[in-house]
Amino acid sequence: MHPGRGLRDITSLDIAPPAMTGLADRMVRAGLIDRRTDPEDKRISRLWLTRLGREVGTHALAELGALNATLTEGFTDAEMAVVSRWLAAVHARFD
């Protein structure tokens, strides 16, 4: 998550707004993010990664990178492109 993003800005996560609010609340309690009021629009809360949040994110990305390498081992880029298109189509049909 980019520092200072609003909940509505984080659309790539494909999470419903109430669920995103709950997730943000849990992340604040865990010390992973800070929630601050936008200085220009008091209706908006901005989310900022804490030092712990950055550390946990770096570790998670490393772990996911290793997992992804294991899962995709033996497949060509072209084969992975087909899988990616299929998964996107399935997601679109059930969204």
Side-chain angles (χ1 to χ4, degrees):
M1 177 183 330
H2 185 275
R5 289 290 184 98
L7 287 173
R8 291 183 183 188
D9 297 334
I10 309 172
T11 57
S12 64
L13 295 177
D14 197 24
I15 299 175
M20 187 66 220
T21 299
L23 176 60
D25 290 343
R26 290 188 299 279
M27 292 177 74
V28 167
R29 285 193 301 274
L32 300 173
I33 61 173
D34 286 327
R35 182 184 278 135
R36 302 179 199 157
T37 301
D38 186 294
E40 296 177 15
D41 187 343
K42 304 294 185 207
R43 299 170 298 170
I44 297 173
S45 290
R46 299 264 175 216
L47 305 178
W48 297 81
L49 281 172
T50 62
R51 178 198 273 169
L52 176 61
R54 285 189 294 279
E55 291 172 5
V56 169
T58 298
H59 179 73
L61 287 175
E63 293 290 322
L64 290 173
L67 176 61
N68 192 49
T70 299
L71 293 174
T72 60
E73 185 178 348
F75 293 97
T76 66
D77 288 343
E79 290 168 328
M80 291 309 302
V82 170
V83 171
S84 180
R85 283 195 314 273
W86 180 77
L87 289 171
V90 168
H91 179 266
R93 286 189 178 102
F94 290 98
D95 190 21

